[in-house]
Amino acid sequence: MSFGLAVRKKAPSVTFTLALRFSLVLALAVLSLAVLFTFALKRYIYNSQSRELKDSAEELALALKTNAQPEQKEKIPYYITYAVYQKESQEILETNDPFLPLLEATKGKTKKFISKNYFIDGDLRILYFAMEEESDEYGSLVIQTALNLDTDSSSLFLRGIPVIVLLAFLPVLFVSFLTALLIAKRSLAPVVKMTEAAKKISSTNLGELLPVKQKDSSAENISTGNLDELDKLAVTFNDLFVRLKKDFDRERGFTSDVSHELKTPLAVILGQANLLLRWGKDDKAQLEKSLGIIVEEAESMNAVITNLLHITRLENKKLLPQKEKFFLADFFARLKEEVQSLSPDAKVSVSVSKDLNLFTDREMLHQIFLALISNSIKFCKEKNLELTFSALQKDTKTELCIVDNGPGFKAQDLEHVFDRFYRGDESHTRSAGGAGLGLSIAKALTQSLGGTIVSFNAESGGAGVRLELDN
């Protein structure tokens, strides 16, 4: 029993393939030009030979009519043979080549005549022209001129052209292949560098970027065409790696935050369960207290998971907005009632035109403002809550704002208030309550509506959030 190992053939390099294809294209181009040149030259020589044969036949006809002396026929080129004979009897009246066969009139055209084994030592190949001429003395005559194709220099040159082209073509093809190989290798050198750099990039070092020849490789230069195609490719991949790094970093932070958020309630539940095991059977007060804490922490965990699933569905476009047109004055009136039911002492003011309407998903927008209101209530516990709702139309956009009278955002927190589980300090304290997902949900909902959301500090010192949506 024999075992064989399959040998995988190594694929040819792109450099070699490009050089070979270029050489083949060049070879086809050279051959095509050579064929066209040969055909044109052959046609030119054929026309020249035909013209010479006709002119010589006409000279002979003129000489016969005028009874010209033999020296007057010296105008006929030495390499042209001729014969003058009677058409009916085929009696030769005059010729400079006794071996020239007598052929019929060609009716104004030149023709080729080939006879195998015509001579003892070979064939006869001629190009000839024959015309009829009437003579008072001899009757109907045929004047025939011919050109031996085996001895004519032009014909011999035409036969040698294919050999010349072949001998010149092979070194040209070889040189063109080497030149194309060098050019392709130098042109693809950046691709080789990018490939080597890409091999070193993994999820742990996404900060490594592909090399770019141009120093300024911003996205603006890509759009204005200041970079070549390879630089554009490298910059595009670099942008992809940057986005992937942000996603990986966000996912790592997300995993860490989820672990942190679930670790605390699980620890509390475990601690209360141990208390129940020790004293819960005999101490009813402890039993009720521990069960209440366990339920509270379980509800907190359920809220975290529910909110995370909600954000995921929004980001994956599984919740599509159902848009409708409605008046913002009615929308803010509903919010005012809900705020006063949640915080009876709260003061709510609304600044909006009665006829200002908006075309969007009313319920999604309602969820956004409920999350913002909940956040304001959470951080304004030390004094009576004051909220201001406002809306203003700007061209094709509508700007909606909510401002409270709380402590506002810290400067270092403004860029992160919409991040998941962010509570305004590194320790993620639970003193303010909630899981730090309300504003994240508000941002995801705003993006689903095709709008933008930003946080700011009002001049009065309170926290503000501004939404911008299409009309």
Side-chain angles (χ1 to χ4, degrees), residues 128-367:
Y128 75 98
F129 174 78
M131 60 181 283
E132 294 183 5
E133 187 70 22
E134 293 296 328
S135 173
D136 295 337
E137 183 178 356
Y138 300 104
S140 295
L141 300 178
V142 175
I143 300 173
Q144 175 184 318
T145 54
L147 190 66
N148 193 330
L149 298 178
D150 291 327
T151 58
D152 181 66
S153 59
S154 299
S155 301
L156 293 175
F157 175 72
L158 283 176
R159 294 184 196 177
I161 285 181
V163 179
I164 296 173
V165 170
L166 182 61
L167 293 176
F169 174 72
L170 292 177
V172 168
L173 181 63
F174 180 71
V175 172
S176 65
F177 174 77
L178 292 181
T179 304
L181 190 65
L182 178 62
I183 294 174
K185 189 174 183 180
R186 293 188 63 179
S187 300
L188 293 176
V191 178
V192 176
K193 291 181 180 179
M194 284 192 285
T195 303
E196 295 300 323
K199 288 180 180 179
K200 300 176 183 178
I201 297 175
S202 64
S203 60
T204 58
N205 63 338
L206 285 173
E208 297 290 333
L209 300 178
L210 301 181
V212 180
K213 291 183 293 183
Q214 298 280 353
K215 292 183 179 180
D216 186 3
S217 57
S218 61
E220 180 182 354
N221 281 331
I222 292 181
S223 60
T224 56
N226 291 337
L227 301 177
D228 62 25
E229 288 78 2
L230 294 179
D231 276 346
K232 289 181 182 179
L233 178 64
V235 170
T236 302
F237 273 111
N238 287 340
D239 290 342
L240 173 63
F241 294 146
V242 170
R243 294 196 301 270
L244 286 175
K245 185 177 185 300
K246 289 181 180 178
D247 290 339
F248 271 97
D249 292 342
R250 184 170 61 250
E251 292 303 321
R252 290 190 187 101
F254 176 73
T255 303
S256 175
D257 290 336
V258 170
S259 301
H260 181 275
E261 290 297 324
L262 295 182
K263 182 179 180 181
T264 302
L266 283 174
V268 173
I269 291 173
L270 183 60
Q272 295 300 323
N274 287 329
L275 289 176
L276 288 177
L277 288 175
R278 293 182 181 180
W279 300 294
K281 296 179 182 179
D282 303 323
D283 191 344
K284 291 186 178 180
Q286 182 63 47
L287 176 62
E288 292 181 2
K289 179 180 178 182
S290 295
L291 288 176
I293 294 174
I294 289 173
V295 170
E296 183 180 343
E297 295 299 328
E299 289 177 348
S300 175
M301 291 174 61
N302 183 62
V304 170
I305 295 172
T306 301
N307 288 333
L308 286 175
L309 290 174
H310 191 53
I311 292 175
T312 302
R313 293 180 67 191
L314 288 170
E315 292 178 343
N316 292 336
K317 310 291 185 184
K318 291 186 177 180
L319 288 179
L320 299 177
Q322 304 295 323
K323 295 186 177 182
E324 59 179 318
K325 184 176 286 189
F326 57 90
F327 290 103
L328 287 175
D330 297 337
F331 176 77
F332 284 138
R334 174 187 174 187
L335 287 177
K336 183 176 180 180
E337 293 178 359
E338 291 174 337
V339 170
Q340 291 174 341
S341 65
L342 293 172
S343 179
D345 297 329
K347 295 181 180 180
V348 181
S349 60
V350 178
S351 176
V352 62
S353 174
K354 290 184 178 180
D355 57 351
L356 181 60
N357 55 49
L358 184 64
F359 183 72
T360 189
D361 191 308
R362 184 200 298 258
E363 291 307 316
M364 280 191 175
L365 186 61
H366 182 254
Q367 291 181 50

Side-chain angles (χ1 to χ4, degrees), residues 408-452:
F409 299 112
K410 294 181 181 179
Q412 65 269 22
D413 297 337
L414 282 172
E415 296 182 0
H416 305 286
V417 294
F418 297 105
D419 293 348
R420 298 175 186 177
F421 303 110
Y422 192 82
R423 289 204 187 92
D425 57 70
E426 295 180 357
S427 60
H428 284 195
T429 60
R430 297 166 59 86
S431 59
L437 287 171
L439 296 184
S440 299
I441 293 176
K443 180 179 179 181
L445 286 167
T446 304
Q447 291 175 340
S448 293
L449 295 177
T452 59

Side-chain angles (χ1 to χ4, degrees), residues 82-131:
Y82 63 87
V84 180
Y85 64 92
Q86 287 183 329
K87 181 179 179 181
E88 295 180 359
S89 63
Q90 292 195 341
E91 178 185 354
I92 298 176
L93 302 179
E94 189 176 352
T95 183
N96 64 351
D97 184 0
F99 297 102
L100 183 65
L102 302 180
L103 303 171
E104 295 180 355
T106 58
K107 297 180 180 180
K109 299 179 180 179
T110 53
K111 295 183 178 181
K112 283 185 179 181
F113 176 78
I114 300 174
S115 178
K116 297 290 184 180
N117 301 318
Y118 187 81
F119 300 107
I120 298 176
D121 57 350
D123 304 331
L124 175 66
R125 297 177 69 252
I126 61 172
L127 180 69
Y128 75 98
F129 174 78
M131 60 181 283

